[in-house]
Structures are given as structure tokens and as C-alpha cells.
Amino acid sequence: MTATATFLDLPTEVIILIVCLLPLREVAACKRLCRRIRSLIQDSQLLQYHFRTMCSGVEDLFLPGIGSHEFLKSLVQWEMAWQKFDIGERFARHRYQNVLWTVEHIVQNGHIVAMRLVDSSWLTTPGWSYADISRVLLRGGESPQALSWTDIQLDTSISPKAYVLDVNQDLVAMVYYRDAMWRRIEIQFLRFSTGRPHDLARGAALDLELNCRSPSDCEIAMEVMGPFLIMVVINRTRLRLSGRHQKIYFVEWKEGRMRCVRRVRDGTYFPVVAFVSKDLIILARKRDFSFEVCEISQGDDCSTSILRTVCILRLPSLHPSTRVRFHMRNRTPFASNSSTPALRSNRLPFRSSPADALLGFEVSVRRHSRPGSENRRLAFWVHHNTFRKYAAEAAKHPRISLFSKSSRGLRGLASRLVNGISYAFSTPPVLHWVEWGPTSTRWRECSDDLRDRQTLAGMRCAVVNHGSLTLMDFSPGRLALLLAQHSQENAKLKVVVSPTKIKAGRCFLRDFTSQLPYCESTKEEIRNRVLMDDEWILQFEEGLFGWEGYIDFHSILPIDNACESSANILSLSSL
């Protein structure tokens, strides 16, 4: 009788390929199985690259023709640069003219973008300008030729209201007023590179009817993920007339279809919306100060979309008379499966993974009462995976349908009626703050300094405050790696696991804590606005009254390091 084959009897190459498919926790567990598996993981460059990639929280963009040795070398250099977070000497400088309240700068996919949302009254036309940072190859150039800008100008007769940008899809979804009475808004899907209508949108221009007295009466929040776009339209008006409620729209921009998936009362939601997976979004509710996790699903006829509330996550309790402003700050967009070849620049063989990216929020609370008042500004961060986790737990207890959805005729009609009534009267699970918030979030008080701003890149957040820059790395793999190495508190990169306590006052009912762990490093003498992505750090040095300033480009990695590909040169300094 032949002996039964075991896992260790497999060829070495097969074992390596199997371990490469395991998650981070399972790879660490495999190292404790036996000496052979441990030696394979330590000696195999492919497994080491796979292990370090997961620890750093980056997405593997392994290209054909590049060996794992070059990738591992690049990854080690990239990790060391982020641990030191040494900006170093200026790599390139660009002078720009700007009015602060008309231009918003964004760094995405190796491009710097200046979005202009106000008309040409300040010598700027509606549109945007962008530059490929990877093309900046001159050291310390003071001339504008050091950075080549492409200017996109829109029609001066339109007034842009909101936009969403996805450089990976070469897409800008622009919402603007079409008439001078602010009664109609139009949505166009344009190519980011040219400003022309996007080819995949099939020339679709969607419009909505509004009843606004001024542009300030309407707030719009948008988010795009692949072929889908979610949009929240909020009419801020004191008159509760018919048709002036908040509406949530689901748009399939490649098909040119838009549907209203929810119509709610005024004052229900903040202008905040974000995708956390392909079929899950989060909304911020005003009435009970909480997150609402919603699932987008197809209707019975497969031609309509349904927005179903999965669960509600409460935030810290507030006094009833507290006024709140809720904002998202520099959210990390979902990466598309493919990037437009025209916009594909030289870049590292990896980027921050969108699977567990970070969401940053800012909360302003205000309460007037005798004998005084209180105004506070706070920021907090939470992972995408947190919302997916509680949505999956809520899905373990689905509602029981009395009839099958596939039933037709009278039985199908009864099924839809019963399911609709059961959904209308059922309540989604509600998790209070103490059940989920302390371990899943990290809060901090913000100063009144205007330069106390945050910028996100994957699972990292950089905050400039009082002349210093604080980098917070929330990657779980990096945290586990540093904890295993027994990182010292006096090191440049330290692990923060102690809770942050926010004191109660006139706004918050009681004290609350947050203890989401992160790695922290501080860089002194940073007084300017900072934007960053995986390969670049940009400092904005603003001149008097914001009319003129400089953009300093700093590469995270040393300039002389490079990784050569069969297709192109992957310059670690110019990405």
C-alpha cells in the first residue's frame, strides 16, 4: 500500500507558489510549521518580496521581464525612505500664480493637478491644469520649463459646482450649472488628459432639475469607482417645499444611465460619500451623528439599482444643540484595473493598495450656551476594511423572504410586496460608539492654525502643524513588523498604541478614546502646505496674499537609484 503524499512532499517551486497566495497572517504562521518551510520563506526572493509587499500595504504591479531581485531591492529602498521620511534637498522648483480660493491642488497617480472651479473673474478660466511629475528631471530649475503644464479650459459660460477625478481612468466627472438661475445642473464625463467628452461615456450628458435661489443653496458630494458614480445632492434651504429634499443618485456613466436610489428629508446627510468596496458605500448622517453603510444591489428586473442600509455605526455622542460640519479630507481613490496608456508614466513596480486604504475626516463642532460657547475642530481616520467588516457581520443574519425572487405572476407580485413591506419596517443593526469606535479609529484635536492640514497616500497620513510635519503610517503589516523588532520609543519611527483621549465639554456629552495603532515620525521645520503620493512629496510655499508661490518637488527615494525594466526605466526618484 502506497503512503499518502503530504504538503511537504510537493516540489519546492509548487510550495512557493502556494505560499504566495496566502494572506499575511497565514504566511507568518507557515514560518512556524517546520524548518523547511521557514527556510523556504527566508531564502526565496519571491516569497520575501511577497511578504514585504503585504507588510508595507502596497499593491503588487509585477511586470513581465523584471526579476524578483530588482523588485525586492526597490521595495527595501522604498521602505527605508518612508521609515526615515527624509525630504532631503530640493529636487525641482516651479513658480506659479494662484488665488487660494479658486484653485485646489491634487496629487494622484504621479500627476499634480490644479482644479479651477470658479469662473474667470480672477484671471482664470474654469477647468484644470496638470503636469506629469515623472517628467521633472532637472535639478533645482527655477524656470517654468522645469515642469511642463497642460492647461484644459472649459467654456466660460458654465460655473463648475463639483467634480470627481480618477486619473487611472483618464476621467473627470464635472457638475456645473447650465443656466444663470441655478435651476438645472448638468453632469459631463470628460477626459482628464484632453478635456474632451470621454469616449466610454458615449456622449451622455445627464442633467437634474433644482430649485435653488443661489449656488450656495446646493451641496454635492461625488465618488467614482470604475464604471459607477454615486452622487448626493443636498439642497440647503429653510423652506421645506416639495422637491427640495436630499437625493442620492447612482450613475452608470459608461451606459449613460442615472437613477435616484434614495430620496430623504432635508438635513439627513452631510455632503460626504465614499466607496469602500465595489458594492458598499458610506454616508454620514446628521440626525444621529453616525456612519451609514449602504449596499448597492440590483433590483428584481436587473435594470434598477437599490440602495439598502446594511448597518449604522454611531460616532461619539453630542449635545442636542451642537452644530456639526463634517468633511472628508484627501480621500484615497480606488485604483482602477487598468490605466490609460497615454497617462502611464514611469513609476515604481508597486503602489498603495486600495484594499485597506485610509479615510480621513474632519469634524467642526460648535455650541453656544450660557455663560459661553465652544468651537472645536477634530480629525480622525479609519480603514476601509472597518466598514466592510461590520457590513459582513450584519450580512450573516439576512432577512428571510417568504417567496422566491424568481417567482412570476401573482406569486411574484406578492413576494415583492411582502419583501418591500418587511424592508420598510425593519431596522438595520446599530452599533454604538463603544462597540466599534475606540479600536477602529484614531482621533486628534486640530489647532486653529490654517496650515494644520492633512494629506493621505494609501495607509499614510501627513499633518503639518506648528512648523513640523507628522507622518502617521496605519499599515497593519508594518505595525506588526516593527512590534516584532521591538522598536524603541526614542527612534525616529515609533509605534503608537496608547489611546488618545478627547475631553468632553459643551459639545461632547462625555470623554471618549480612540486607539487605532500607527507608526509615527516627525520632521521639523516644515511650515508649508504638503501633498504627497507614494513617490513624491510636494511643498507649497505661498506668497503674499496667495498671488504667487512656489512648488518644491522632493523625491522620497534617493535620486540616483533606478530599476531598469524591459519596457522602460523605472526611476525611483522621478515618480
Side-chain angles (χ1 to χ4, degrees), residues 485-501:
Q485 296 173 354
H486 304 288
S487 175
Q488 300 296 326
E489 290 294 328
N490 57 0
K492 292 184 178 180
L493 185 67
K494 63 179 181 180
V495 178
V496 179
V497 295
S498 58
T500 301
K501 186 175 183 179

Side-chain angles (χ1 to χ4, degrees), residues 47-79:
L47 285 178
Q48 282 297 310
Y49 171 72
H50 175 65
F51 182 76
R52 297 186 74 101
T53 298
M54 291 188 294
C55 286
S56 301
V58 294
E59 182 182 1
D60 189 352
L61 301 177
F62 200 95
L63 300 177
I66 302 179
S68 58
H69 175 72
E70 288 79 8
F71 273 76
L72 184 60
K73 180 180 177 182
S74 302
L75 183 57
V76 171
Q77 293 174 345
W78 185 77
E79 287 177 336

Side-chain angles (χ1 to χ4, degrees), residues 275-508:
F275 276 98
V276 294
S277 68
K278 294 181 179 180
D279 55 356
L280 283 179
I281 66 169
I282 59 169
L283 303 170
R285 309 203 324 176
K286 287 184 179 181
R287 54 188 176 189
D288 54 1
F289 194 47
S290 61
F291 283 123
E292 183 176 338
V293 185
C294 301
E295 180 186 22
I296 301 174
S297 58
Q298 295 292 333
D300 294 338
D301 54 358
C302 298
S303 61
T304 60
S305 298
I306 300 174
L307 192 64
R308 183 177 66 90
T309 302
V310 180
C311 62
I312 296 174
L313 306 178
R314 293 281 180 85
L315 291 170
S317 300
L318 297 171
H319 284 283
S321 58
T322 302
R323 295 187 177 183
V324 184
R325 293 294 297 168
F326 203 94
H327 301 280
M328 290 192 67
R329 293 303 183 201
N330 297 18
R331 60 184 180 271
T332 303
F334 263 92
S336 304
N337 294 330
S338 60
S339 178
T340 305
L343 297 175
R344 189 187 298 274
S345 59
N346 297 334
R347 58 197 230 174
L348 294 174
F350 40 81
R351 64 186 174 196
S352 293
S353 174
D356 201 15
L358 204 64
L359 288 174
F361 300 92
E362 185 177 301
V363 180
S364 299
V365 292
R366 182 182 60 180
R367 184 169 182 258
H368 296 280
S369 62
R370 296 179 182 180
S373 62
E374 184 180 57
N375 297 314
R376 301 175 70 176
R377 190 159 62 93
L378 305 98
F380 71 96
W381 300 271
V382 58
H383 282 293
H384 280 161
N385 192 44
T386 298
F387 300 102
R388 295 197 298 266
K389 169 188 174 183
Y390 292 107
E393 291 180 357
K396 293 180 180 178
H397 307 284
R399 301 181 181 92
I400 300 176
S401 298
L402 299 180
F403 302 98
S404 174
K405 288 185 178 181
S406 60
S407 301
R408 296 182 180 180
L410 185 60
R411 185 183 180 89
L413 177 61
S415 171
R416 290 189 292 272
L417 288 175
V418 171
N419 292 335
I421 294 174
S422 64
Y423 172 74
F425 287 95
S426 62
T427 57
V430 178
L431 293 179
H432 293 275
W433 166 256
V434 294
E435 300 179 67
W436 76 278
T439 58
S440 302
T441 62
R442 173 66 69 166
W443 290 64
R444 69 182 291 268
E445 292 264 11
C446 299
S447 67
D448 294 332
D449 189 358
L450 292 178
R451 301 186 187 278
D452 188 351
R453 302 170 179 174
Q454 58 174 297
T455 178
L456 303 182
M459 282 181 276
R460 299 175 193 84
C461 178
V463 179
V464 177
N465 183 23
H466 295 302
S468 64
L469 186 145
T470 301
L471 176 71
M472 296 180 289
D473 192 337
F474 290 87
S475 173
R478 182 179 299 278
L479 285 165
L481 192 62
L482 290 178
L483 288 174
Q485 296 173 354
H486 304 288
S487 175
Q488 300 296 326
E489 290 294 328
N490 57 0
K492 292 184 178 180
L493 185 67
K494 63 179 181 180
V495 178
V496 179
V497 295
S498 58
T500 301
K501 186 175 183 179
I502 305 297
K503 293 287 187 178
R506 300 182 185 274
C507 296
F508 293 100

Side-chain angles (χ1 to χ4, degrees), residues 139-283:
R139 282 179 177 268
E142 296 286 348
S143 63
Q145 287 76 19
L147 189 66
S148 178
W149 287 85
T150 301
D151 186 40
I152 305 297
Q153 296 185 2
L154 302 178
D155 189 356
T156 56
S157 63
I158 65 176
S159 299
K161 176 64 179 177
Y163 72 94
V164 63
L165 172 66
D166 190 347
V167 177
N168 284 323
Q169 298 189 92
D170 195 16
L171 173 68
V172 175
M174 185 74 69
V175 177
Y176 53 85
Y177 292 106
R178 225 6 171 172
D179 57 359
M181 300 301 293
W182 308 293
R183 295 178 180 175
R184 179 184 295 272
I185 60 173
E186 188 170 315
I187 311 172
Q188 282 197 353
F189 302 94
L190 309 175
R191 281 200 174 273
F192 165 73
S193 57
T194 62
R196 299 177 179 272
H198 205 289
D199 301 337
L200 298 179
R202 301 180 181 178
L206 308 174
D207 59 346
L208 297 171
E209 290 286 347
L210 296 177
N211 293 318
C212 296
R213 296 182 178 181
S214 66
S216 61
D217 285 345
C218 179
E219 289 184 324
I220 298 176
M222 304 170 61
E223 183 70 43
V224 66
M225 201 285 298
F228 306 116
L229 181 142
I230 196 80
M231 181 173 63
V232 180
V233 180
I234 300 174
N235 293 316
R236 299 192 305 173
T237 177
R238 295 181 180 179
L239 299 177
R240 306 252 178 143
L241 302 179
S242 60
R244 294 197 174 188
H245 302 282
Q246 298 182 4
K247 297 179 182 179
I248 302 175
Y249 294 91
F250 183 71
V251 183
E252 295 178 84
W253 63 272
K254 292 185 179 181
E255 301 294 333
R257 295 186 297 182
M258 179 173 62
R259 296 178 293 275
C260 180
V261 294
R262 181 172 296 180
R263 180 169 176 161
V264 295
R265 300 178 302 172
D266 290 342
T268 302
Y269 294 107
F270 293 104
V272 169
V273 61
F275 276 98
V276 294
S277 68
K278 294 181 179 180
D279 55 356
L280 283 179
I281 66 169
I282 59 169
L283 303 170

